[in-house]
Amino acid sequence: MNEFYIPFGPQHPALIEPVHIKLKVDGEKIVDSELVLGYNHKGIEKSFENRWWAKGMYLSERVCGICGHYHTSCFAQGVENLLDLEIPERAKYIRVIIGEIERIHSHMLALGIVAYELGLDTLFHYIFRDRELAMETQELLTGNRVHFVMNVIGGVRKDIETKYFNLVEKNMERLDNRLHEYLKIFKTDTAIRKRITHIGYLSRRKAKELTPVGPNIRASGIKYDVRESGYLVYDNLGFKAVTGEGGDVLERCVVRIKECLESVRLIEDALVKIPKGEISKSVPLLLKIPEGRETVSRVEAPRGELIYYLKSAGDKPYRVKIRTPTYQTFTIINEILRGYEIPDVPVIIASLDPCLSCTDRLTIVDLNTERERVVSGDDIRRRETL
Amino acid sequence: MGILSEAIKRILERPATRKYPKEKPKIPEGFRGRIEWNPETCIFCMLCAINCPTNAITINKEKKEWSIDIGKCIFCGRCHDVCPTKPKSVSNSKKYELAEYEKEKFRLKFRKSERGG
């Protein structure tokens, strides 16, 4: 038997996210892979249960540093469903604008990481430089670069100022130019094309079977986007989902760039169409929701469909279940790694745009490993207080 | 070829990075920095302490003391949102360089004196 197991991660120079993948290899070729999650477990779902609804908003924002706005949007949308509350039109537009800017910077981060994994540090730096345009726009409209606390239950916390619209439009125009440039680079650059076409291929049939979400399924030719359902104001803005046919690493990058371009269009459109008016409905500080009422709320986060399940226990949630996009996307990891070589692994995983800080909310006990390490409760507590 | 032409175009440009400690960034409007307390308008209603998501704020009504643990504070601005006074007694300032060597220095205590302030 010439088969070996190669551990990949959780600390690995070529992969930044804390995920452990056991690769079964035959020479350089990957025969099988096994995913081990749980290195980033934070116990957030449990913490929701002893917080008031309004305080839970701030916790949900901290599930993820990159797509925090989508987590609060989803949580707030769920609580508003429970209360049968319709938020003002202007608040809906503000949620869309901030969310789409967040999508642009998240996708550009993913592109930068792919470039970095390819060894193209120059391209990585250029993409991150231009990502700064999106970050600056966020800072302009909300006041902060991350965790902007724009959502509250019943609307948004802070209005966006009309005096900045010109600057935002200018930034979006520049981003549009730059993104077209990157689309050209990814499509025509020989080094990139030769390296990542036909790598990490996911066929349309397999995609339908394993159902990843977000750009990863759309790159395989399946039009699945929650924004198509027209929640918030996406139907007013005439949103069109972007799909690709290739199903490989390159196609996932191209779909992400095209989605950024669509986001730029949505923001420009939203800035024109945004109505005047109030930004939030007043809700009591200590919200009470009838016990046992439950709901499912979903939004399209940058990485795909994000689902919150909420069940009420009066002034606090009885249960909050978060289904993050990366968790669903990891179903395809064996499919897209099998048959490729070890040097392809980092770039294939980077092309999925995984976000482990979202995903690791569950503990997985692996019974198959021969070596087991027991971490006592004291040990965990000691680490927490350090 | 795409990246190469881009690199040649940018070779004479200024660097995109800032020299941070020497060159301070421009703080945007609405930035949520360190929480500051205005003793003159505070009515000690406890709303900020009750509504704080991380219980960073503690209030002693008898001694007229208001204290905050910056190590616990997540700068969400909820205390500012719920404050009932006008002008708001608790608000986000624009201070952001808050690192300290000792944990004790994060616990800030303020007291309302008889004369106010």
Side-chain angles (χ1 to χ4, degrees):
Chain A
M1 287 287 280
N2 283 331
E3 281 174 350
F4 289 96
Y5 273 108
I6 291 188
F8 191 81
Q11 280 98 35
H12 194 274
L15 190 76
I16 301 154
E17 301 278 354
V19 62
H20 177 49
I21 301 167
K22 280 193 268 175
L23 299 169
K24 193 179 182 185
V25 291
D26 181 7
E28 281 276 294
K29 218 172 143 194
I30 296 155
V31 184
D32 204 0
S33 71
E34 193 186 323
L35 187 72
V36 184
L37 291 173
Y39 291 94
N40 214 355
H41 179 69
K42 292 178 283 189
I44 281 185
E45 282 180 8
K46 193 71 191 165
S47 321
F48 270 112
E49 290 166 21
N50 45 34
R51 274 174 172 77
W52 295 349
W53 291 102
K55 288 187 184 182
M57 286 286 292
Y58 302 99
L59 185 64
S60 72
E61 186 143 36
R62 276 145 187 91
V63 172
C64 179
I66 298 172
C67 46
H69 180 80
Y70 284 97
H71 280 272
T72 51
S73 295
C74 198
F75 185 78
Q77 195 174 289
V79 178
E80 283 147 14
N81 279 350
L82 290 173
L83 289 166
D84 287 327
L85 188 77
E86 176 81 15
I87 66 167
E89 198 72 1
R90 189 175 174 87
K92 288 182 186 173
Y93 272 91
I94 293 174
R95 277 188 189 177
V96 167
I97 291 169
I98 304 298
E100 291 304 319
I101 301 172
E102 198 165 60
R103 188 186 309 278
I104 294 172
H105 93 70
S106 171
H107 278 351
M108 288 186 84
L109 181 130
L111 288 171
I113 301 291
V114 170
Y116 171 76
E117 300 293 4
L118 289 172
L120 291 166
D121 269 20
T122 325
L123 185 59
F124 164 73
H125 283 292
Y126 284 146
I127 293 176
F128 265 58
R129 180 197 62 193
D130 293 327
R131 176 174 174 264
E132 206 60 18
L133 281 172
M135 300 296 281
E136 270 167 20
T137 314
Q138 276 180 347
E139 212 176 359
L140 205 65
L141 293 178
T142 69
N144 284 64
R145 282 171 70 89
V146 284
H147 293 323
F148 3 85
V149 201
M150 282 303 268
N151 292 323
V152 287
I153 294 163
V156 290
R157 176 171 161 270
K158 189 174 166 289
D159 203 356
I160 55 174
E161 310 237 1
T162 325
K163 62 180 176 188
Y164 292 136
F165 282 11
N166 272 339
L167 215 55
V168 174
E169 267 163 27
K170 217 194 252 169
N171 276 356
M172 287 302 128
E173 223 166 87
R174 277 173 70 193
L175 260 175
D176 195 71
N177 285 339
R178 298 304 307 158
L179 286 163
H180 273 112
E181 193 83 1
Y182 291 127
L183 193 60
K184 212 173 87 191
I185 288 176
F186 269 90
K187 274 188 168 170
T188 57
D189 195 278
T190 333
I192 296 177
R193 250 187 38 237
K194 285 203 167 165
R195 179 74 181 83
I196 56 176
T197 28
H198 308 305
I199 294 285
Y201 176 69
L202 183 73
S203 66
R204 195 190 153 90
R205 195 177 61 80
K206 273 284 172 194
K208 219 168 193 173
E209 209 176 296
L210 299 166
T211 59
V213 286
N216 300 321
I217 195 168
R218 292 197 283 276
S220 289
I222 294 170
K223 204 175 185 178
Y224 183 73
D225 196 314
V226 185
R227 286 176 288 173
E228 289 260 292
S229 71
Y231 75 97
L232 291 177
V233 287
Y234 281 110
D235 46 356
N236 290 2
L237 298 171
F239 168 75
K240 282 187 204 77
V242 178
T243 51
E245 287 303 320
D248 53 6
V249 173
L250 180 68
E251 193 65 42
R252 280 178 219 130
C253 294
V254 169
V255 164
R256 284 211 172 86
I257 299 175
K258 284 183 179 165
E259 266 189 26
C260 286
L261 289 168
E262 178 70 15
S263 290
V264 168
R265 194 193 65 74
L266 285 175
I267 293 163
E268 282 172 347
D269 208 13
L271 286 179
V272 176
K273 284 184 180 165
I274 188 166
K276 286 202 167 58
E278 53 169 1
I279 53 164
S280 72
K281 292 256 170 76
S282 70
V283 288
L285 280 177
L286 178 53
L287 259 185
K288 284 235 162 60
I289 296 171
E291 251 174 74
R293 213 181 260 193
E294 53 187 344
T295 187
V296 170
S297 146
R298 51 185 206 140
V299 297
E300 180 77 18
R303 290 168 182 78
E305 185 187 31
L306 170 68
I307 302 178
Y308 268 62
Y309 165 79
L310 307 171
K311 188 171 181 179
S312 168
D315 54 354
K316 289 169 189 168
Y318 174 78
R319 173 87 170 100
V320 176
K321 166 80 189 129
I322 313 171
R323 210 294 309 275
T324 52
T326 305
Y327 187 66
Q328 185 63 19
T329 299
F330 270 151
T331 50
I332 61 169
I333 210 150
N334 195 16
E335 181 64 29
I336 57 172
L337 286 180
R338 209 189 303 133
Y340 300 102
E341 292 180 358
I342 291 170
D344 298 332
V345 175
V347 71
I348 291 175
I349 293 173
S351 81
L352 293 180
D353 192 11
C355 179
L356 268 299
S357 110
C358 295
T359 305
D360 279 352
R361 284 159 299 92
L362 56 145
T363 327
I364 290 182
V365 183
D366 192 0
L367 299 174
N368 298 331
T369 38
E370 284 162 12
R371 279 175 297 168
E372 274 188 22
R373 202 167 142 252
V374 180
V375 182
S376 68
D378 280 344
D379 210 336
I380 296 169
R381 232 167 286 136
R382 211 177 308 126
R383 268 186 221 174
E384 264 180 7
T385 51
L386 270 180
Chain B
M1 197 54 215
I3 306 167
L4 197 64
S5 64
E6 174 71 22
I8 293 163
K9 253 188 258 169
R10 304 294 159 198
I11 210 155
L12 290 173
E13 259 186 16
R14 276 194 314 130
T17 46
R18 273 188 222 107
K19 288 183 175 168
Y20 161 61
K22 283 181 198 160
E23 203 183 310
K24 300 278 184 218
K26 213 178 120 203
I27 304 300
E29 230 175 280
F31 176 75
R32 303 189 319 274
R34 207 192 87 186
I35 307 292
E36 295 215 320
W37 180 61
N38 179 1
E40 274 164 35
T41 51
C42 187
I43 55 170
F44 295 95
C45 63
M46 305 288 284
L47 272 179
C48 53
I50 296 166
N51 279 290
C52 179
T54 55
N55 304 328
I57 300 173
T58 41
I59 294 175
N60 191 330
K61 263 188 183 175
E62 280 98 58
K63 289 184 186 166
K64 298 241 179 273
E65 263 179 9
W66 186 93
S67 53
I68 183 166
D69 188 341
I70 298 176
K72 278 187 184 172
C73 180
I74 54 169
F75 306 95
C76 61
R78 184 157 170 82
C79 43
H80 172 81
D81 294 347
V82 298
C83 187
T85 63
K86 252 178 204 176
K88 302 250 180 188
S89 168
V90 188
S91 57
N92 285 95
S93 67
K94 293 200 169 175
K95 290 179 187 158
Y96 58 94
E97 287 165 321
L98 305 171
E100 287 286 357
Y101 283 107
E102 287 150 43
K103 229 178 177 179
E104 299 306 312
K105 288 188 180 162
F106 284 136
R107 300 204 183 96
L108 305 176
K109 204 176 263 183
F110 304 97
R111 183 175 286 180
K112 188 176 187 173
S113 68
E114 290 303 308
R115 281 167 287 139

